[in-house]
Amino acid sequence: LDVLFSYGKINSVFSGTTPPRTLTSTLADILSKKLAPEQLPAIAVIPLPAEYTASRAKSGENDDDDDGDDGEKRRGSKRKQKKEKHKQNDVVAQKYASLNNRRLWVLRECRSQGVLTTIKVRVKPPDECARLLAKGSRTFRLDRVTDRATVLVGNHLKGEGEGGAL
């Protein structure tokens, strides 16, 4: 399952926790086994439309064999054409956007530390997914979906979360 962030910047503190709980303290508790990753609530996700998934897959292609600025074909362009023909026939995996970015960040960090391989997700009902994809909301817009997120500490950037599938 490939779960993406619904926004590229996330707050370093979970909302609604008393006392305030930071992403890093939650991660530290999981790594020290004070907290199990399974104790975190499931992440709410929405499936991204197939055309979005396909366009994102195409935009990530390797452009090493690109044509030059002068329009001449560069070495390897036949190989690139053959590769692109095969890519058109490939099935693109379904991707999902998380509605719980802070939790996703913690769980991705757990995965990068080797503590976790899978996560629990709740797929939102089709009518809610359709509404979010069509209109967006205060917290979700399709054009902001990304595979990386930067943690904000106050007004400062702390670091980027890992990209990739969970």
Side-chain angles (χ1 to χ4, degrees):
L1 194 62
D2 200 0
V3 181
L4 305 176
F5 293 96
S6 58
Y7 190 66
K9 296 176 185 171
I10 54 178
N11 196 325
S12 63
V13 179
F14 284 102
S15 60
T17 58
T18 306
R21 187 163 184 81
T22 66
L23 303 182
T24 54
S25 68
T26 303
L27 178 61
D29 284 351
I30 291 171
L31 295 176
S32 68
K33 303 202 186 292
K34 291 180 187 174
L35 178 68
E38 298 78 26
Q39 289 177 282
L40 297 176
I43 292 176
V45 299
I46 63 168
L48 295 171
E51 59 273 8
Y52 174 83
T53 303
S55 70
R56 292 292 282 218
K58 285 182 185 176
S59 69
E61 286 181 8
N62 185 353
D63 293 335
D64 290 343
D65 296 331
D66 230 357
D67 294 345
D69 290 335
D70 56 2
E72 286 183 42
K73 295 279 185 188
R74 299 239 181 218
R75 187 173 162 213
S77 52
K78 283 186 183 180
R79 185 176 27 184
K80 182 179 178 187
Q81 290 169 356
K82 192 173 185 180
K83 189 196 273 187
E84 286 177 338
K85 185 177 180 182
H86 288 293
K87 281 187 179 184
Q88 290 171 357
N89 296 330
D90 290 347
V91 175
V92 179
Q94 174 68 57
K95 293 183 187 272
Y96 295 82
S98 169
L99 300 178
N100 308 112
N101 287 331
R102 287 171 280 217
R103 220 173 303 148
L104 178 60
W105 184 90
V106 169
L107 294 172
R108 280 191 174 189
E109 291 297 312
C110 287
R111 185 198 60 203
S112 73
Q113 299 282 331
V115 176
L116 183 68
T117 56
T118 59
I119 61 167
K120 295 182 289 186
V121 298
R122 278 180 298 121
V123 179
K124 289 290 196 177
D127 60 329
E128 193 172 339
C129 293
R131 182 184 56 77
L132 282 169
L133 290 170
K135 293 186 175 182
S137 73
R138 182 179 61 81
T139 58
F140 177 81
R141 279 195 1 220
L142 189 58
D143 62 333
R144 292 182 177 168
V145 173
T146 181
D147 65 342
R148 294 190 173 268
T150 303
V151 177
L152 300 172
V153 180
N155 289 332
H156 306 307
L157 301 178
K158 182 169 187 194
E160 289 192 12
E162 289 291 316
L166 259 181

